[in-house]
Amino acid sequence: MILRYVIAAALLLAASAAPGFASRDLFVVDLVNNPASLDPQVQWDPDSYFVYRNVFDNLVTRDASGKIVPQVATAWSYQSDTQIVFTIRNDIRFEDGTRLTPDDVVFTIRRITDPGFKSPQLSQFDSIADAEVVGPDQVRVTTKRPYPVLLPQLTKLSIVPRAAVEKLGNDGFNQHPVGSGPYRLVSFARGVKVELTANPSYWRGTPPFPRVEMRPVPNEETRIADVRTGRADIVRVTLTDTADSLKGDAHVKVLFSPVERVALLMLNALTGPTKDVRLRRAIAHAIDRNLIVEALLKGYARVVNEPITPANFGWADGLPSYDYDPAAAKALLKEAGIAPGTKLTFPTGPFFDQRVVQALQQMLAEVGLDAQISMTDGPTYLRLRQGRPDEAGDVSFFRWSCGCEDADGVLFPLFHSSSQWAKYRNPSVDAELEKARNSLDPAERLGLYRKVLETLHTDIPAVPLYQDVMMFAARKEVRFQPTPNEAFFLMDMGWGQ
């Protein structure tokens, strides 16, 4: 009898100790890498974005369907082809208690468009000529010319507090960001975790999780073990083999969505052996893209023939492709006088699927090119890719998303000669990209982008590979649906049944 009471008491205690999902106060996320930046106007890599987007509010944002909707700005209206006035909410406060004002919006815009600040995102905002306060709750943004992608680009503009940035300085603000978003930074132990706590007075309502930990876990097997054992609630998945292995798991589900992110093999057209267009075309013929998608990516991804995806405005149907043709590749190399065994530098970062990187290396080897992979940490890789042509590598696997769902946000930063990302120069491409980003006529823009894409096919500064997918593994109780714009907003998540 006593034993029966002991067992009953133990079961009752266990039931009361088991986490009720509606009352869980800690949500754990496994990222792939350390965030490169906590300042939203510096890097825009996924691991950084997943953190700081939950600490800051954006001027405008997208809803789950992809529609642009208010956030800091409640409304907007065009005064002319080059001027738009935003009405700013007056009930938002930064975590230090100060009110978010139109002056903070103006400061934010001027900061990210200041060439001296050297934001890697500059090319996505440099069509803005100025911003100014024009009323108690109004800001006018003036563009250099008509700019049809202004609103889509502004969905990525996180508003920072002028007073805190000026007090802390750029480096200090990166270490101790002050936002108005649903979460506040508690601590950032590099290589260990980022700790966030809910903003109790957040203007949009109560955040779903009182505390959040985001941890860099580079090893995919470790991330999966974490989510399977409940040590993490949601984790990034980068390998489609992993996603397949989780089918049928009683406690874990795979969440994924095709995204606007495109995978490319970037070719340095400004220096080194890849300056020769015949070598670049040989490389294009050496890559078996279908094999990569089918064998490595299990069909989740989709082969594309252009350096944008169907999720982008500007996608052009019917463009030709460089078919997999090793014999043609070898013939082009011979024509160019490229000796077998010629070395190519091939930098890579830990946030990429290294199986794809190694497959690309092997395919190049099969036509006689010795691509020498060099692994660096994420911030170093990004710095090299944004740096001088002679530092950026001859070839590099690259994944790019603008978050704006428009060709301008991909083609301009990657291929316009003014961009720090571009390792390619073509005056006609520059002119067409400039004209397309300054036209309000959708038909004209589509025609210009088609011309650009046709030229890129001829010049081959990049080999288009595939439209990527964003994948997560989550505990069955987690409520979340990935979207094409790769949003990871904690306010859109919660505990389900």
Side-chain angles (χ1 to χ4, degrees):
M1 190 67 158
I2 293 176
L3 180 60
R4 184 182 303 168
Y5 285 130
V6 170
I7 292 173
L11 290 173
L12 180 61
L13 179 62
S16 63
F21 296 111
S23 63
R24 288 188 62 173
D25 68 349
L26 177 64
F27 188 71
V28 179
V29 182
D30 277 5
L31 305 175
V32 178
N33 298 286
N34 275 298
S37 169
L38 298 181
D39 183 333
Q41 297 189 340
V42 185
Q43 298 291 359
W44 198 62
D45 61 284
D47 296 297
S48 299
Y49 184 66
F50 286 178
V51 177
Y52 67 62
R53 183 60 180 90
N54 292 290
V55 175
F56 293 87
D57 286 315
N58 284 14
L59 186 63
V60 293
T61 190
R62 292 185 186 272
D63 63 17
S65 70
K67 179 183 177 182
I68 296 175
V69 296
Q71 194 159 85
V72 169
T74 61
W76 48 89
S77 61
Y78 276 92
Q79 293 187 325
S80 70
D81 287 350
T82 59
Q83 290 188 323
I84 183 171
V85 172
F86 293 90
T87 301
I88 307 303
R89 295 185 68 98
N90 60 13
D91 59 348
I92 301 178
R93 291 190 176 275
F94 292 107
E95 64 179 79
D96 61 5
T98 59
R99 189 168 68 86
L100 189 157
T101 68
D103 183 61
D104 294 306
V105 175
V106 168
F107 174 79
T108 296
I109 294 172
R110 290 180 175 177
R111 181 177 186 243
I112 202 168
T113 56
D114 177 8
F117 182 60
K118 297 182 179 179
S119 171
Q121 303 177 52
L122 175 61
S123 65
Q124 301 182 48
F125 295 99
D126 62 0
S127 285
I128 297 175
D130 198 11
E132 55 190 328
V133 177
V134 292
D137 61 352
Q138 291 187 321
V139 168
R140 182 168 60 214
V141 175
T142 301
T143 56
K144 297 172 183 175
R145 302 168 197 83
Y147 183 45
V149 199
L150 179 63
L151 281 174
Q153 296 289 23
L154 290 176
T155 64
K156 299 172 295 180
L157 185 73
S158 296
I159 306 304
V160 301
R162 177 176 184 170
V165 174
E166 292 181 341
K167 177 181 177 181
L168 297 171
N170 291 330
D171 292 341
F173 187 75
N174 199 343
Q175 296 172 22
H176 304 286
V178 177
S180 64
Y183 286 88
R184 300 172 174 177
L185 178 72
V186 176
S187 66
F188 178 22
R190 186 168 293 278
V192 182
K193 63 183 175 181
V194 178
E195 292 185 276
L196 305 175
T197 186
N199 179 352
S201 56
Y202 186 50
W203 62 275
R204 290 176 59 203
T206 304
F209 315 111
R211 294 185 301 127
V212 176
E213 289 182 0
M214 295 187 174
R215 310 177 307 197
V217 184
N219 184 275
E220 180 123 323
E221 291 182 359
T222 303
R223 295 197 300 274
I224 297 307
D226 284 351
V227 75
R228 277 182 156 156
T229 60
R231 188 168 183 267
D233 297 298
I234 188 169
V235 305
R236 277 286 308 278
V237 173
T238 61
L239 304 178
T240 50
D241 280 347
T242 302
D244 274 0
S245 73
L246 293 171
K247 290 179 179 178
D249 191 298
H251 304 290
V252 177
K253 58 186 175 182
V254 175
L255 307 170
F256 71 95
S257 172
V259 294
E260 68 165 355
R261 189 174 295 275
V262 63
L264 308 163
L265 182 63
M266 301 299 294
L267 309 180
N268 192 333
L270 298 182
T271 188
T274 48
K275 188 175 181 179
D276 190 319
V277 69
R278 293 169 296 183
L279 175 56
R280 300 200 300 273
R281 290 173 185 165
I283 289 173
H285 281 305
I287 304 306
D288 190 344
R289 300 174 302 154
N290 288 315
L291 181 62
I292 290 172
V293 167
E294 293 166 10
L296 297 182
L297 306 180
K298 306 297 183 183
Y300 283 90
R302 166 185 172 177
V303 170
V304 292
N305 295 331
E306 52 201 275
I308 57 175
T309 76
N312 296 95
F313 175 88
W315 170 262
D317 288 326
L319 288 184
S321 68
Y322 277 89
D323 295 331
Y324 174 57
D325 190 341
K330 291 176 182 178
L332 282 164
L333 293 175
K334 184 176 180 180
E335 178 186 332
I338 304 295
T342 293
K343 291 180 171 55
L344 302 177
T345 55
F346 194 166
T348 188
F351 28 57
F352 298 135
D353 185 340
Q354 296 306 307
R355 301 174 310 158
V356 174
V357 172
Q358 291 162 13
L360 293 168
Q361 180 192 43
Q362 180 60 36
M363 290 171 184
L364 294 176
E366 289 173 358
V367 299
L369 296 171
D370 181 9
Q372 300 186 325
I373 293 173
S374 59
M375 172 67 78
T376 65
D377 60 82
T380 300
Y381 173 83
L382 293 170
R383 179 180 58 79
L384 292 173
R385 277 293 300 129
Q386 296 164 31
R388 303 194 316 260
D390 61 317
E391 296 180 325
D394 299 320
V395 300
S396 58
F397 176 66
F398 204 55
R399 296 163 62 249
W400 182 272
S401 170
C402 68
C404 63
E405 300 184 19
D406 192 285
D408 175 80
V410 182
L411 301 181
F412 201 99
L414 292 187
F415 303 111
H416 190 280
S417 61
S418 67
S419 171
Q420 60 188 326
W421 293 101
K423 304 299 177 277
Y424 165 73
R425 292 194 185 99
N426 183 311
S428 68
V429 166
D430 283 357
E432 287 155 359
L433 287 174
E434 290 164 11
K435 190 172 182 180
R437 72 165 15 187
N438 298 317
S439 170
L440 298 180
D441 182 344
E444 180 183 29
R445 296 186 70 225
L446 287 172
L448 287 164
Y449 286 131
R450 189 173 191 94
K451 288 182 181 179
V452 169
L453 293 167
E454 288 170 347
T455 303
L456 295 178
H457 175 78
T458 300
D459 290 352
I460 206 74
V463 180
L465 298 174
Y466 53 84
Q467 178 183 15
D468 214 342
V469 292
M470 180 68 79
M471 298 185 294
F472 298 89
R475 302 291 294 177
K476 289 283 176 113
E477 307 82 30
V478 173
R479 176 171 48 81
F480 174 52
Q481 177 54 54
T483 59
N485 61 3
E486 301 187 24
F488 191 79
F489 302 157
L490 294 168
M491 284 295 289
D492 295 339
M493 303 183 193
W495 298 117
Q497 297 297 324

